[in-house]
Every structure is written in structure tokens, then in C-alpha cells.
Amino acid sequence: MDRHKNPFTCYFCHKKIENDTEMGHTSVCGNVLIPCPNKCGSYIPRMEMPNHKKECLNRPGRSMTRLTTTTDTIETYDDALNTASLDRRFNNTSTRDVLERLQRDFQKLSTRLANYELSSSSNSSIDSRNNQDLDRIKYQNQMLLEWKKAVDYKLETLQQAMTSLDKARSESEYHWLSLQQKLSLLDKFRMDLDIAMDTFLKEQNYNRQANLEFAKNLDEFKDLFDQENASVNALWNEQKDIIDDIRKDVDGLKQVMDEQKAKNVSVIFDIKTISQIASETAEKLEIQDREFAKFRQQFDQLKLDLEILENLASADARTSTPGHLVWRITDFEAKMSKSKSSNSVLKSPIFYTHDFGYKVRILAYLNGLKKWKDRYALVSIHVLKGDFDALLKWPCHIEGTVSLRDQENSENPKNFAKHIVAKRQTGDEENEEPQESSFSYIFIPHGTLTKSQYLKNNEVFLEIRIEQNRRLLTETTL
């Protein structure tokens, strides 16, 4: 509780207070000005209030004797409580007694105040002359409420002090128990130390006897060692002769190993030569494998091109018109398998963008190219060398729509369509694969391509329509 008590100088008595709070000292300071309880309008120092009450013009008559006595009793308890708050040597029992006594007195005062208010309210209706007494009673009630606030504050302070005292007592009991435990541990340690001392003395005696026996055994061992040393010297001489013989044998063996080492070097050189020849042969075989795979891919592509030519020879002329092509891809599963194994490309029949226009065909990589493999089919426009290229404008710009035709819903088909663009400097017969950075190819997901509405009877239909815009139609001078 001392952490709340900082030294200060009282405003009324001008004294330096060190052992009390500012509120606690103000509640007991004799120089504090307080209003006259008789409501005469004067503010009197607390220590001179009894003399002023005797001389006050508004002092109460006989009817207010009991109320004045009650007020004096309140001030007496207030002073007693302030005195108790200044005492720092109180114990737990006396503090509880003070609290109980204050609570009992406060209940009595509350009962009296209620009786006074009741009697005052009844008398006010009878006699108008008691208005002044009522005002005084109200003033006394206000003073009682203020006193109650101060008492509550002091009760709270005392309760905090009791809490701190209980806490300190519990801590003291805890320290005492801890001290008792440490003392018991100390006694146990002393007992253990005595036992250890007894054990140490016994071990010391035992070690002395063991040292004596060890010294005796050591002497016997020295005699035995001398005998053994003589035997070892004799054996060492014999072993030395044997070692010399072994050394001669080792020298002969070393000469044989040198000869064998020379032979091994020759064998290792032959092995390295054979290994080099084998690695060169393996590289040649690997190159041949790559060339064979490339040849096989070309063979598959040539076979596919031959099949396309056969289809073109037997195809009806109505499958294509200038700017429009319907491409029927048969044996879809076999062609997809070839595309996965050899990256083969499907080529559509050749058609023209418009009358006397650009010669084009559609390339289809069913398994995709590069990073798009195994996920998308790649479709692009390939511009070929045509008969009218000398009369056309280059580079060309061709736009159109590629549609994967719906084979189930003929009345309301849901075709998969995408816009396609082709830009070429000149017609080209060799470079078929489009560049990844261009917009001359579209993607058809495998999941879409293999749906039942598009893939039926192991065949699909791709429809290509070239946009006949003004820009395209003005590309020719015919």
C-alpha cells in the first residue's frame, strides 16, 4: 500500500506529509474549510467547527438535538476511520473489528436518516414552519452521503490492506514451509554424508590391503618378467634369421611383380583401345538409330501423303470450292497413334482462297507440337506455291474459320469453331511447321476432339471457310 503514498505539501496547513495520501490527510486536516452544517453560509476550519456551532445563528433547537448528535457521531467515526488509516502497525483482527463496527454504525445511521426523512415529510404537510428544518435535514443528508463516499473509499483501502496482509501471510507460510523442507533436506544430507564417510573409511582400509597385495604380486611379476625376457631374446634371434630369409623372398617376389606390372600396363592399353573402339561403335549405332527413326518418320509421312493423294484422286470435286473446304479424316484412331509415335502431319486437299487466288491446304498435327504434345491438336494454314503467285500481292494475309463439325445434331449443330489467320511472305512447299509466335494455328483440345458428337464411325469432319473480305479480293490483279 505504500506505493500510493508520495510526499506532498498540504494546501491548507502547509505541512509536508510523507506517511499519508492526499485524500486521507484532507479528510482529517483541521485547517480544511467546511461549510456550516446549519446552512448559515459560512465556511469554518474543521478544528473550529465545534465553537462555531455554539455561536451559529442558525443553530438547531431542541427538535434537532438528536440530528446534531448524529452528525457529531458521523464526524467522530470519520476521524476514527482516518486515524485508523494512518496507523501502519495494525493487525488483521483489529482491522476486521473496525470494519464490522463501521458497517453496523452505517446501517444505524441509514435507518435514522430514513426515519428523519419520513418524519420530515409528514411534518411538512402539517406545519409550514418546518421548511427550514427540512432544508437542514437535506443538507445533513448530503453531508451523510459525502461521508458515505469517504467511508467507502477508506473501506476499500482497508480491504486492499487486508488482501495484501493475507498475501504476505501466505507468502510467509510458503517460505516457512520451504525453509522446513530445506532443513529436512539438510538433515538428510548430513545422514547421507555420515554414511558416505563410513563407506569411505571402509574403502580406504580395503584399498590399503589391496595395495599391499599388489606390491607383493608386482615383485613376483618382475621375477617372471626377467625370465620371460630371456626367453623372448632367444626367440627374437631365431625370428631375426627367419625375417632375413623372408626379406630375400620378398625381393624376388617384387621383381616378379614388376614384370607382371609391365604386362598389366600393356593389357590396360589394349583394353582402352578396345573401349574407345566400342564407344565409337556405340555412337555410330546411336546415329544410325536416329537416322533410322527419322527415316521411319519420313516413311510414315510419305505413306500418309500417298494415302492423301489416293484420297484426292478418288475424292469428289464437290468437297472443295474456292474459299471453302470440307475435309473428311478417316481412320482417326490409327492416324492419332501414328502422330504420337512419329509426329506425322495430316494434309488436307489443296484448294484456293478465291478464284485465281492463293493456293493453300490445311495441316493437322493430331498430337500437337513441342510443349502442346499429348494435350491439343494443332491446325494451321499452309500457303503453297501457286500458278498465280506472280500476279498476287505478297506478303499475304488470309483469315478464316475452322469448324469441327457436329455429326449428331443436324438440325441444330453445335460445331467447335475457331478463327484462324495466316501471314506468309511467299508460297512455300517445304517449310510446313508454323512458328510458335504466329497466329497461323489454332488449338483443339483432345477432350473435345474425341467427343462422340464430333468423332463418329472413327472419322471427323473439318470445315474451312476463308473470309472473302475486300482486302483479300483485292490481292489479285486478275
Side-chain angles (χ1 to χ4, degrees):
M1 299 298 293
D2 293 339
R3 63 178 180 271
H4 299 292
K5 298 176 182 178
N6 297 323
F8 66 95
T9 303
C10 180
Y11 178 78
F12 299 97
C13 65
H14 303 288
K15 293 181 181 180
K16 187 174 182 180
I17 308 302
E18 296 182 353
N19 297 324
D20 200 356
T21 60
E22 187 173 357
M23 182 179 291
H25 174 73
T26 305
S27 62
V28 298
C29 181
N31 293 328
V32 174
L33 296 177
I34 58 176
C36 177
N38 299 329
K39 299 185 69 175
C40 67
S42 300
Y43 285 83
I44 310 300
R46 183 180 281 114
M47 65 176 61
E48 297 180 2
M49 183 57 69
N51 296 330
H52 175 75
K53 288 180 180 179
K54 297 177 181 179
E55 300 174 356
C56 182
L57 297 176
N58 292 338
R59 61 181 179 274
R62 294 180 179 179
S63 61
M64 297 301 295
T65 302
R66 295 179 61 190
L67 184 59
T68 304
T69 304
T70 303
T71 305
D72 295 338
T73 304
I74 292 172
E75 293 178 354
T76 302
Y77 283 123
D78 193 6
D79 295 338
L81 186 59
N82 291 329
T83 303
S85 65
L86 292 173
D87 189 9
R88 293 295 175 267
R89 296 175 297 176
F90 63 87
N91 53 32
N92 193 15
T93 305
S94 61
T95 305
R96 290 176 179 173
D97 294 339
V98 172
L99 288 174
E100 293 176 357
R101 185 165 60 86
L102 287 174
Q103 290 176 354
R104 289 196 302 270
D105 294 339
F106 181 74
Q107 291 177 356
K108 293 178 180 179
L109 290 174
S110 299
T111 305
R112 290 183 180 180
L113 179 60
N115 294 332
Y116 280 129
E117 290 179 352
L118 182 61
S119 61
S120 298
S121 60
S122 61
N123 291 331
S124 60
S125 62
I126 299 173
D127 190 4
S128 61
R129 290 179 302 174
N130 292 331
N131 289 333
Q132 185 176 3
D133 294 337
L134 289 175
D135 293 337
R136 292 177 181 176
I137 289 172
K138 290 180 181 179
Y139 178 75
Q140 294 295 333
N141 186 19
Q142 184 66 28
M143 292 293 293
L144 182 61
L145 292 176
E146 293 178 358
W147 175 84
K148 181 179 178 297
K149 291 180 180 179
V151 169
D152 291 338
Y153 173 77
K154 292 176 176 60
L155 286 174
E156 183 179 358
T157 303
L158 289 174
Q159 288 177 355
Q160 292 178 357
M162 289 178 64
T163 303
S164 300
L165 184 60
D166 293 337
K167 185 177 180 181
R169 176 176 294 176
S170 62
E171 290 179 356
S172 299
E173 291 177 354
Y174 174 76
H175 290 308
W176 173 248
L177 292 174
S178 177
L179 183 60
Q180 288 180 345
Q181 292 177 357
K182 290 179 180 180
L183 289 174
S184 62
L185 290 175
L186 182 60
D187 294 337
K188 185 178 179 181
F189 176 74
R190 287 178 179 176
M191 293 175 64
D192 294 339
L193 184 61
D194 293 337
I195 294 170
M197 285 294 294
D198 295 338
T199 306
F200 175 75
L201 293 175
K202 292 179 181 179
E203 291 292 334
Q204 189 176 14
N205 294 329
Y206 176 78
N207 289 333
R208 287 177 182 176
Q209 295 177 0
N211 288 332
L212 293 174
E213 292 179 358
F214 177 75
K216 183 179 179 181
N217 293 330
L218 184 61
D219 293 336
E220 295 177 354
F221 177 76
K222 285 181 179 180
D223 296 337
L224 182 61
F225 178 75
D226 292 336
Q227 296 175 3
E228 292 294 332
N229 190 18
S231 301
V232 167
N233 288 330
L235 291 173
W236 171 250
N237 293 327
E238 294 176 0
Q239 292 295 328
K240 189 175 181 181
D241 296 336
I242 296 173
I243 289 171
D244 292 336
D245 296 336
I246 293 173
R247 186 174 295 171
K248 292 178 181 179
D249 295 337
V250 168
D251 293 336
L253 184 61
K254 184 177 181 182
Q255 186 177 0
V256 174
M257 289 180 66
D258 292 337
E259 294 176 356
Q260 189 68 31
K261 185 176 181 181
K263 293 180 181 179
N264 290 336
V265 169
S266 177
V267 172
I268 289 172
F269 178 76
D270 295 338
I271 292 174
K272 287 183 178 179
T273 304
I274 295 171
S275 177
Q276 185 176 0
I277 295 171
S279 62
E280 292 176 357
T281 305
E283 290 178 359
K284 290 180 181 179
L285 289 174
E286 186 178 356
I287 293 171
Q288 289 178 358
D289 290 339
R290 288 199 297 268
E291 290 178 353
F292 178 75
K294 186 175 181 181
F295 175 76
R296 183 176 180 180
Q297 181 179 358
Q298 292 176 355
F299 177 76
D300 292 338
Q301 185 63 49
L302 184 61
K303 186 177 179 181
L304 188 61
D305 293 342
L306 182 61
E307 183 180 351
I308 292 171
L309 290 174
E310 292 176 354
N311 293 332
L312 288 175
S314 62
D316 190 0
R318 290 175 297 175
T319 59
S320 65
T321 59
H324 184 207
L325 171 67
V326 178
W327 183 15
R328 178 190 176 202
I329 302 175
T330 60
D331 296 331
F332 178 82
E333 294 180 357
K335 291 175 181 178
M336 175 63 80
S337 178
K338 287 184 180 180
S339 179
K340 290 181 179 181
S341 61
S342 60
N343 294 327
S344 60
V345 58
L346 297 181
K347 299 178 182 179
S348 73
I350 297 173
F351 66 103
Y352 286 86
T353 57
H354 55 284
D355 292 334
F356 310 107
Y358 298 97
K359 184 179 179 181
V360 296
R361 71 168 15 143
I362 301 301
L363 302 181
Y365 299 86
L366 295 182
N367 196 39
L369 285 174
K370 298 179 181 178
K371 63 182 179 180
W372 313 110
K373 280 187 175 182
D374 301 323
R375 294 188 295 167
Y376 297 93
L378 185 67
V379 178
S380 65
I381 296 178
H382 185 205
V383 182
L384 304 173
K385 291 182 180 180
D387 298 333
F388 310 104
D389 288 353
L391 303 177
L392 300 175
K393 292 184 180 180
W394 299 92
C396 66
H397 183 87
I398 301 172
E399 297 185 13
T401 303
V402 178
S403 301
L404 182 63
R405 294 297 299 268
D406 186 355
Q407 301 184 47
E408 290 184 351
N409 304 315
S410 58
E411 295 181 357
N412 187 17
K414 296 181 180 180
N415 300 328
F416 180 83
K418 282 197 173 184
H419 186 72
I420 192 169
V421 178
K423 295 181 181 180
R424 290 291 184 271
Q425 297 292 331
T426 58
D428 190 1
E429 294 288 345
E430 296 179 356
N431 188 14
E432 299 176 350
E433 183 178 338
Q435 299 295 322
E436 285 193 23
S437 59
S438 69
F439 294 95
S440 60
Y441 60 94
I442 62 171
F443 300 106
I444 302 177
H446 283 174
T448 302
L449 189 60
T450 57
K451 284 185 177 180
S452 59
Q453 66 187 69
Y454 302 123
L455 177 61
K456 194 171 184 179
N457 298 326
N458 200 21
E459 61 182 14
V460 296
F461 288 88
L462 284 178
E463 182 181 6
I464 300 93
R465 290 183 180 273
I466 304 299
E467 294 181 3
Q468 304 295 322
N469 51 28
R470 181 179 296 178
R471 179 177 179 180
L472 179 65
L473 295 177
T474 56
E475 296 293 326
T476 177
T477 59
L478 298 179

